Amino acid sequence: MMMMMTETMTPEMQTCMDVCMDCHKMCMETMTHCMSKGSQHMDKSMMSMMRDCSEMCMMCMNMMMSGSEFMERTCMLCAEMCDRTAMACEMMSDDAKMMECAAACRKCAESCRSMQMMPA
């Protein structure tokens, strides 16, 4: 059953949506940053992971906006993907942009995990 966004949007959901949007944008910016440095800076699996993380953040936002019954499970998957992306980014600790992306991913994972307590 779908819920109307204006009727069910809690401050926690809005915060999570904002953090998901920030993570989405940061992953996209970081991919662009890495592409500008050349293929030696990021392999295909890392590029794929960042793209997937970015897309998952958007899907998570969409599920929250629509009040989907799958919101909680989507948020949990988003948290897992963000954690893995953060770990991969942290392996390049000498790159400030990668560390900025890792921080955004960690923040998103934490916020998405908090949605586990929210009613669908």
Side-chain angles (χ1 to χ4, degrees):
M1 167 139 194
M2 296 278 259
M3 293 181 267
M4 300 302 287
M5 184 175 96
T6 55
E7 294 173 11
T8 62
M9 187 61 59
T10 65
E12 295 82 8
M13 289 171 76
Q14 185 60 57
T15 297
C16 189
M17 288 174 55
D18 292 344
V19 171
C20 283
M21 177 57 82
D22 291 344
C23 187
H24 164 75
K25 290 191 304 193
M26 182 55 64
C27 283
M28 297 302 287
E29 288 174 15
T30 304
M31 284 173 42
T32 301
H33 165 76
C34 290
M35 285 188 283
S36 73
K37 291 191 168 264
S39 61
Q40 73 280 4
H41 198 71
M42 179 185 275
D43 63 20
K44 286 184 180 186
S45 65
M46 180 67 167
M47 187 71 81
S48 179
M49 181 185 298
M50 291 186 104
R51 185 185 60 247
D52 290 349
C53 184
S54 176
E55 291 295 323
M56 193 68 219
C57 288
M58 288 300 293
M59 179 177 281
C60 197
M61 287 176 29
N62 290 336
M63 293 290 178
M64 283 186 272
M65 282 194 287
S66 70
S68 171
E69 66 182 287
F70 300 106
M71 179 188 80
E72 182 180 318
R73 287 187 278 169
T74 303
C75 286
M76 292 304 98
L77 180 57
C78 188
E80 182 181 342
M81 292 174 80
C82 286
D83 280 336
R84 287 190 186 179
T85 303
M87 285 190 296
C89 289
E90 288 163 352
M91 295 175 101
M92 296 182 208
S93 60
D94 60 331
D95 186 309
K97 190 66 170 178
M98 296 302 284
M99 296 310 291
E100 193 178 351
C101 186
C105 288
R106 293 279 183 210
K107 185 175 181 180
C108 188
E110 182 181 329
S111 187
C112 283
R113 272 191 290 277
S114 76
M115 292 295 101
Q116 187 172 16
M117 307 304 170
M118 299 298 299

